[in-house]
Amino acid sequence: MTERQTLFGVELDPLTMDETVQRCLEAVRDGRQLEIGVVNAAKLVNMRRDPRLAEAVAGCDLVLADGQAVVWAGRILRAPLPERVAGIDLFLRLLAEAESTGIPVYFLGAKEEVLERMLLRVADRFPGLKVAGSRNGYFDDSEQETIADGIARSGAQMLFLGMTSPKKEIFTAAHGARTGARVVHGVGGSFDILAGVTKRAPKLWQRWGVEWLYRALQEPRRLGRRYLTTNIAFLLMTARELFRLTPQAAPANRSR
């Protein structure tokens, strides 16, 4: 078992994409439940402001670095992570594995029209995939248990939640076990991307860690200020932690 790294008080699993996929397939094979949490710069900032979010992420079986900024911060702060494991890339890898091995999946999240468009595109891309069921992500808290029971009845072994934080983390923490799914993965806005509603940043933007800027340019009014404030907060968090870890030089003795 790979030893976890601690970054900003959060324990992360230093796994590669291939290692993560292998862990997921082992969980399905062995009948164990594996709840996956992913963190980027914004979520790490929000976890400090939202105890429920922090508790939900901490309760996940795997916590992965979804953002390139988290990988860079880990290197600077002596908590090295091998690579970014982006939630959407893990999502696509798991869909491919589910198709080839006959693992049934369930999709929960997004608006109904977005979900339907995504299902059509998923069917084109993964024609052999067994979709046990799906449901949009607009429901009251009072419906959560009923929805979890429906997922359990579907027989799905992988559950993908296309919902925003902290809703997806809180649902997973409260009802993940009830769903009966062996792998539970919150994929955020990935349903919108697969449906073609929003565009993902080009590879170069991803490599340079500015995927957030690409998203903000698509929706400046909704996301511009949010990304700016959380990124500044993340930089300050990193600087404070670096200062704490850096040994301070002892003051020189003054001769009398």
Side-chain angles (χ1 to χ4, degrees):
M1 187 69 70
T2 308
E3 187 175 345
R4 281 182 153 183
Q5 297 284 9
T6 302
L7 188 63
F8 306 116
V10 179
E11 291 191 344
L12 285 89
D13 294 277
L15 300 175
T16 64
M17 176 66 76
D18 288 343
E19 290 168 340
T20 303
V21 171
Q22 190 59 38
R23 291 275 190 98
C24 293
L25 295 177
E26 287 171 358
V28 174
R29 183 194 65 203
D30 299 341
R32 295 179 290 104
Q33 187 164 70
L34 191 68
E35 294 182 3
I36 300 171
V38 295
V39 294
N40 55 21
K43 190 179 292 185
L44 285 170
V45 170
N46 290 331
M47 284 169 66
R48 293 201 162 188
R49 303 168 179 169
D50 186 342
R52 289 183 71 193
L53 175 60
E55 183 180 357
V57 172
C60 291
D61 301 294
L62 287 183
V63 182
L64 307 165
D66 177 54
Q68 188 60 44
V70 178
V71 176
W72 289 338
R75 292 172 186 167
I76 294 168
L77 301 176
R78 306 170 201 167
L81 302 163
E83 65 183 25
R84 177 191 184 201
V85 182
I88 185 170
D89 293 331
L90 178 59
F91 178 29
L92 292 172
R93 282 285 302 272
L94 291 177
L95 289 180
E97 294 289 348
E99 179 188 31
S100 63
T101 54
I103 297 171
V105 305
Y106 194 104
F107 301 105
L108 175 62
K111 296 178 181 178
E112 184 62 34
E113 59 269 28
V114 172
L115 179 63
E116 290 175 3
R117 287 175 63 180
M118 186 204 72
L119 289 171
L120 289 173
R121 293 194 172 203
V122 165
D124 282 340
R125 189 165 180 175
F126 306 101
L129 182 67
K130 293 182 179 179
V131 178
S134 62
R135 192 201 189 283
N136 67 62
Y138 289 79
F139 50 83
D140 294 329
D141 289 348
S142 61
E143 299 177 82
Q144 290 189 6
E145 286 189 5
T146 301
I147 291 168
D149 289 340
I151 295 167
R153 287 193 299 272
S154 78
Q157 295 293 289
M158 290 186 177
L159 168 62
F160 301 104
L161 298 101
M163 301 187 293
T164 57
S165 295
K167 186 174 183 179
K168 67 176 182 289
E169 288 85 3
I170 292 170
F171 179 88
T172 299
H175 305 292
R178 192 181 186 109
T179 67
R182 300 309 179 192
V183 174
V184 181
H185 179 25
V187 299
S190 299
F191 286 12
D192 286 0
I193 294 173
L194 262 64
V197 175
T198 58
K199 291 183 179 179
R200 193 178 181 193
K203 293 287 186 184
L204 185 62
W205 290 62
Q206 297 175 40
R207 198 174 304 125
W208 283 98
V210 289
E211 199 166 0
W212 62 270
L213 179 58
Y214 190 87
R215 287 283 292 114
L217 290 173
Q218 289 185 77
E219 299 182 74
R221 286 189 175 183
R222 189 173 76 87
L223 299 176
R225 181 179 177 82
R226 184 197 306 177
Y227 279 134
L228 180 63
T229 54
T230 54
N231 284 344
I232 290 172
F234 183 76
L235 287 172
L236 291 174
M237 279 170 53
T238 304
R240 281 195 298 267
E241 189 67 12
L242 181 61
F243 182 78
R244 188 184 69 81
L245 293 174
T246 303
Q248 302 301 305
N253 291 328
R254 295 182 180 179
S255 56
R256 295 181 180 274

